[in-house]
Amino acid sequence: MLSSGLPLEYEVKRQLELKGCIADFEYSYLRPNETNVERQFSYDVDGVYIKDEHFVTFMIECKYRHPTTQWVFTPEIYGGPNELSENDFMHPFDHFVPNEFLFRGPFPRVLGPACSKGIELVTSGDNDKSINQAVMQLAYAFALKIGDAIEHQVERLLVRDVIFYHVPVIVTTADLFRLYDGVAIEDIKAADAIQEVATPETCLVMNYTTGVELRRYNEQVLGAVIEKLGGEALQKALNSSFDDVEHLLAVFAAHYSPQAIVVMNATAGAFDHLFSYVDELLRPSETLLADLRAQREKSQRRFRTWQTRTGLMADSTTESAEKEMS
């Protein structure tokens, strides 16, 4: 019964409801399979969490695994070449409402260490499909969620203007590990246990890069939104740093659908940690606001130091750059 996954799905749904979510089993959708035949796919649990003008959907795929199973991920860094930010897993969508998510970009806290590609290790060897299958279940549902958010914001289908968030989460009973930064093949060869080359984790934020097939699928889904609502109506409702609706949706199709996925171990307190972090983003405490001010001041000091060392005089361009850094 445990290996069926049903008890884990039930436990996850119950935890969401205890946190104040409206939760349901199985979110289903249609998409082409590997032979390009349209089939029904789904992820396991869908939970909606509403706080003021914030409408958060937790998209959760559950993976029950034998107690000896390990999931090992390569390390990633926040703010690196992939431009992964600490809160990218939230995927805020505020492009057709006057409200704005304020915590994009560098952030003084993290939900979990950043990672990228993962592999499942079992006693009989490795499985390179398990994690990828879980990711695909969530990734292909993402554009449909974005399309629904656009329709609600443009058509004003809710009582108030809301920001939509879509948080893809994989919950597993496998032990999670993140390889040390800079670990080499020779280090792994010499190790007797995974703990010698990786740190155990309970929560990770996995950077995700959209592949060609998913991008094409996203473009079709979001293109249908333009066709349904009308480009003129969408352009009129647009309230974003993007000046053009088609450009906005093209960027989302290629980069933000999704950009990051939370991977959590199904341990006691896992959902406490997740909801504590999310609640701070939706209703920031004075402590968090103080940390943000300190971070902004530090960035401004570093920028001024760089100006002094390079002999760059402050003008409208550099002032704009300083504002962007802060």
Side-chain angles (χ1 to χ4, degrees), residues 70 175 177 180 191-200:
Q70 300 169 333
D175 291 331
F177 292 90
Y180 290 134
D192 293 319
I194 190 68
Q195 290 83 353
E196 296 178 29
V197 293
T199 56

Side-chain angles (χ1 to χ4, degrees), residues 271-286:
F271 281 92
D272 291 338
H273 174 63
L274 175 62
F275 276 81
S276 176
Y277 190 96
V278 170
D279 282 340
E280 270 280 70
L281 296 178
L282 306 185
R283 294 177 177 176
S285 66
E286 284 301 321

Side-chain angles (χ1 to χ4, degrees), residues 48 56 130 149 225 238 262 278 319:
V48 174
V56 184
S130 179
V225 174
L238 188 64
V262 178
V278 170
E319 287 173 1

